[in-house]
Amino acid sequence: MPVPGTRTESLNSLYSNRKRLTPCQPGVARSLLNAGKASVFRRYPFTIILNKEVDANPEPLELKLDPGSKVTGIALKQGNRIIFAAELQHRGQQIVEALRSRRQRRRSRRNRKTRYRPARFLNQTRSEGWLAPSLQHRVDTLMTWVNRFRESLDILTSKPLLILAKGHGTRRMCGTNKYGFPTRHRSRRRIHNGFQTSDIVTATVTAGTKIGSYVGQVLCRASGRFNITTASGRVAGISHKYCKPIHRKDGYAYA
């Protein structure tokens, strides 16, 4: 289903200048798709492409960014209307945690036979969710500004697109157990039966014990039996024959 912020493109100019048109309302996009006048070009963010070239002067758009160390806010503004909103979560903290985990595992292997020494004292702990007064004041001020900003604009999107940076893979060629010892090895081959891990697919299973329809990210295996992570959990053992890609891996996860 189209979401607010849908934009249209001309099919005939796709391979020449990729001309963009003014973003349309979800109802307009739905009517174009149902009438066969447009096709789905991209799922995230949802984009349609016209099947016929048109002459139009797109209205100017304004890109608003709220950069942060962990999360960046993204919004498209057209006049006094917010037509698209997204929240991008960076990978910086994930990389730090991965490096810290690797360092701790290596240190554990080197010092595995040392005797256990309990902590000399207990560190002071505070209740979960506690913030320093100065930081709490900044958060309250920011929320007040955001609420006033929302009241002054005609916001057409009710839910922002949540984007999580995942990267394009890892150089680690083996998996380890909780003690840091290698237990499994990964293949250098990434594409299996036309799919690769983190592709978003739809699978309609018509036979077997897992009959049903599933949509989510796929975990590829050389055997051709994939795992699909859906909103309700992970479904294992889905044959690649039932899978159909709807969004190729681009280094991000969407919700």
Side-chain angles (χ1 to χ4, degrees), residues 13-74:
S13 61
L14 177 61
Y15 298 103
S16 55
N17 56 10
R18 303 175 73 90
K19 181 179 178 181
R20 289 177 170 80
L21 303 177
T22 303
C24 63
Q25 295 283 349
V28 176
R30 192 179 301 109
S31 299
L32 293 173
L33 292 173
N34 293 336
K37 297 181 179 180
S39 303
V40 177
F41 178 70
R42 185 180 176 89
R43 284 296 184 105
Y44 304 97
F46 194 89
T47 308
I48 63 174
I49 184 169
L50 295 181
N51 298 331
K52 179 181 179 181
E53 186 174 3
V54 296
D55 296 328
N57 297 321
E59 300 180 11
L61 299 177
E62 189 175 357
L63 175 63
K64 295 292 186 179
L65 296 176
D66 182 17
S69 60
K70 296 182 180 180
V71 178
T72 294
I74 305 173

Side-chain angles (χ1 to χ4, degrees), residues 130-160:
W130 179 87
L131 294 176
S134 58
L135 183 58
Q136 184 65 45
H137 174 70
R138 295 182 182 181
V139 173
D140 295 339
T141 303
L142 177 61
M143 293 305 300
T144 301
W145 179 87
V146 170
N147 293 333
R148 292 179 180 177
F149 181 73
R150 290 172 60 91
E151 293 174 357
S152 63
L153 296 175
D154 182 13
I155 301 178
L156 299 183
T157 175
S158 58
K159 293 183 179 180

